[in-house]
Amino acid sequence: MSDSTTAKSIASAVRTRKALAAEVITASLERIRRTNEELNAFCDVYEEDALAAAHRIDSRIANGEDVGPLAGVPVAVKDFAPLKGKRTTYGSLVYKDNIGEFNPIYVQRLRAAGAIVIGKTNTPEFAYSGFCHNKVFGTTVNPWDTTRTSGGSSGGAAAVVASNMVPLAEGTDMGGSIRGPASYCGCVGLKPSLGRIPMDVLKSVHDTISHFGPLARTVEDAWLFLDATRGPDERDPMSLPEQAIPFDIDGDVKGLRIALSVDLGYFAVDDAVAKAMQMTADALRAAGAIVNPIDMPWDASIAEAFRMSWRVYLAAFEGDLLKKKRELLDPDLADCLEEGFKIDGPTYKRVEIVRRKIWLDLVSVFESHDALLCPTMTGTAPLACMGDKDFKSVKAAGKSQVGGMTHPFSFTPHCPALSIPCGVGPGPLPIGAQIVGRRFDEAMVLKIGRAVEKCGLMGDLRPRIFAE
């Protein structure tokens, strides 16, 4: 990847007047025009607004103002969050004509840092699925292979970053919706600690699985997004106190102790993914880390607990639509809502017992290790025509065939988790490694992610659709 296409290099060039923000945005818009039709990743593009914002930034810099660390960087916003005055559909026909009434806190902070919102990216309806399709905009496909999914629910965000339409995009992660698409599309995806970036777009302010986070092509760009958007806000009572998160550009992992689990105890992992994880572990050892294989005492009850929790969540927030607008809903989403209503209170509350076990098991790992390394997904991107129902079975050996290995760490929301490209499978299609840290320790997962990035495990490979 050319260094000139990173958020860091763009912002540096704009701040020092080696490039104009207007030139940067014009180039990004041209890449979108050439590329988006094939991927269907952007659902709305704000050409006039973005160019006007760029000209304002150029004028401010000419007047000697500091416009921020993301000066002139084009950023994409997922169509799960409102933008004031802009169409906000949540991927649902119910809201196909809905206009956003406010700008989320993270958008305000990105703009204050000099970033320019250039458009909105596609998402499955109410972000319910691991596949990126909806009745409003259709299916978003993978830049590596357009017969494959870009993942969900931040599939549009991952696709626009991986294909070089923009260097940064926002995603939301509840069950792996940043990390999964990042793995499938070969980019960096960070689920920060719960509350690190205030969450102010949900119907609840006490949710414990929802995160805003970045998708980027470099670990440092992901950090720049995090650094610009982190910090408390009274509108989110879960938001964390102020905490600087340093970034180690060298990714020095000498002496760090990293636990390695290829299957987390219960996942059926493809051979290519298992091989990529061993290569990642070897690369980290060569960089000076101590990587210890461990056995996790987990089983498929975790996947079932998350499945139950997710359905109750959806039914609580969107279940009224079953009676009012069912004909407009994705049929699989409607099924999820119905399942959610069938789960009684005590059964749902017992999910917390599962969560407690997951947490205590992780505490045990972190007593002797600085982080946990595992795959992000069990395999490479499946076909775009498939769906979540194709990944519900359990193999005879008791191993779960669900695609994502992210759910356990959605149940430990204060632990940051980073997906970093670490190899390729047949296709070629990218494979992501997941790095999970102690509570609130984004600096550690970013450091290890940077070390993996420096190892160059992806070689010179890049997506077939990559806009120059």
Side-chain angles (χ1 to χ4, degrees), residues 266 298-307 354 357-358 411:
Y266 69 99
W298 291 347
D299 59 38
S301 65
I302 293 175
E304 181 55 33
F306 188 86
R307 185 173 180 275
V354 178
K357 174 173 169 42
I358 296 170
F411 271 165

Side-chain angles (χ1 to χ4, degrees), residues 62-326:
N63 290 330
E65 294 184 44
D66 180 1
V67 298
L70 292 174
V73 174
V75 175
V77 168
K78 181 178 176 180
D79 194 26
F80 185 74
L83 280 179
K84 187 174 182 179
K86 301 298 183 185
R87 178 169 60 162
T88 302
T89 74
Y90 311 103
S92 177
L93 283 176
V94 176
Y95 291 98
K96 67 181 180 67
D97 299 316
N98 178 60
I99 302 299
E101 296 181 352
F102 69 98
N103 291 317
I105 297 161
Y106 84 85
V107 170
Q108 298 173 38
R109 291 177 176 177
L110 285 174
R111 286 174 167 164
I116 297 172
V117 175
I118 203 167
K120 276 204 166 186
T121 59
N122 203 22
T123 178
E125 191 167 13
F126 303 122
Y128 89 95
S129 175
F131 289 75
C132 195
H133 54 76
N134 61 57
K135 289 184 175 183
V136 185
F137 301 112
T139 299
T140 298
V141 294
N142 196 308
W144 291 76
D145 179 345
T146 55
T147 69
R148 305 281 173 162
T149 183
S150 59
S153 63
S154 304
V160 301
V161 168
S163 62
N164 196 34
M165 286 190 267
V166 294
L168 276 178
E170 167 267 322
T172 57
D173 194 309
M174 298 171 184
S177 287
I178 289 173
R179 292 163 285 161
S183 181
Y184 284 163
C185 291
C187 55
V188 177
L190 174 65
K191 176 192 80 76
S193 305
L194 181 71
R196 182 69 70 202
I197 301 173
M199 172 63 68
D200 59 339
V201 303
L202 302 177
K203 294 177 180 178
S204 166
V205 293
H206 297 286
D207 169 68
T208 62
I209 61 170
S210 298
H211 311 70
F212 285 124
L215 289 113
R217 289 198 308 285
T218 71
V219 177
E220 188 169 17
D221 280 1
W223 172 77
L224 284 170
F225 181 108
L226 180 68
D227 197 49
T229 55
R230 65 177 172 83
D233 189 282
E234 288 302 307
R235 286 165 286 189
D236 178 6
M238 299 285 193
S239 61
L240 297 177
E242 181 66 31
Q243 177 186 340
I245 301 171
F247 181 70
D248 181 356
I249 187 64
D250 293 326
D252 184 3
V253 294
K254 293 184 180 66
L256 291 184
R257 298 180 64 85
I258 302 170
L260 168 66
S261 177
V262 175
D263 69 357
L264 294 179
Y266 69 99
F267 284 100
V269 176
D270 288 358
D271 290 344
V273 173
K275 181 179 179 181
M277 293 311 301
Q278 296 298 340
M279 292 178 63
T280 303
D282 289 344
L284 287 169
R285 291 186 183 108
I290 301 163
V291 182
N292 298 318
I294 64 169
D295 294 322
M296 293 300 292
W298 291 347
D299 59 38
S301 65
I302 293 175
E304 181 55 33
F306 188 86
R307 185 173 180 275
M308 181 192 307
S309 179
W310 184 228
R311 278 149 181 72
V312 170
Y313 175 102
L314 287 168
F317 285 0
E318 308 299 343
D320 289 348
L321 296 176
L322 279 174
K323 293 181 179 179
K324 299 176 181 177
K325 304 280 185 178
R326 185 186 180 111

Side-chain angles (χ1 to χ4, degrees), residues 272-409:
V273 173
K275 181 179 179 181
M277 293 311 301
Q278 296 298 340
M279 292 178 63
T280 303
D282 289 344
L284 287 169
R285 291 186 183 108
I290 301 163
V291 182
N292 298 318
I294 64 169
D295 294 322
M296 293 300 292
W298 291 347
D299 59 38
S301 65
I302 293 175
E304 181 55 33
F306 188 86
R307 185 173 180 275
M308 181 192 307
S309 179
W310 184 228
R311 278 149 181 72
V312 170
Y313 175 102
L314 287 168
F317 285 0
E318 308 299 343
D320 289 348
L321 296 176
L322 279 174
K323 293 181 179 179
K324 299 176 181 177
K325 304 280 185 178
R326 185 186 180 111
E327 73 283 0
L328 298 180
L329 298 178
D330 182 312
D332 288 344
L333 171 62
D335 290 345
C336 289
L337 298 178
E338 287 187 336
E339 289 179 32
F341 280 119
K342 293 176 183 177
I343 299 168
D344 63 81
T347 299
Y348 174 63
K349 189 67 175 177
R350 282 195 289 272
V351 167
E352 294 182 14
I353 299 173
V354 178
R355 293 183 73 166
R356 178 179 183 272
K357 174 173 169 42
I358 296 170
W359 173 244
L360 293 179
D361 290 337
L362 271 185
V363 168
S364 178
V365 171
F366 292 144
E367 283 176 350
S368 54
H369 295 88
D370 298 292
L372 170 65
L373 175 67
C374 66
T376 306
M377 309 298 282
T378 60
T380 55
L383 293 171
C385 61
M386 299 176 75
D388 298 312
K389 289 183 176 180
D390 295 304
F391 292 87
K392 287 174 58 177
S393 62
V394 175
K395 285 190 172 181
K399 301 291 186 179
S400 176
Q401 288 185 292
V402 296
M405 298 177 67
T406 55
H407 298 154
F409 314 111

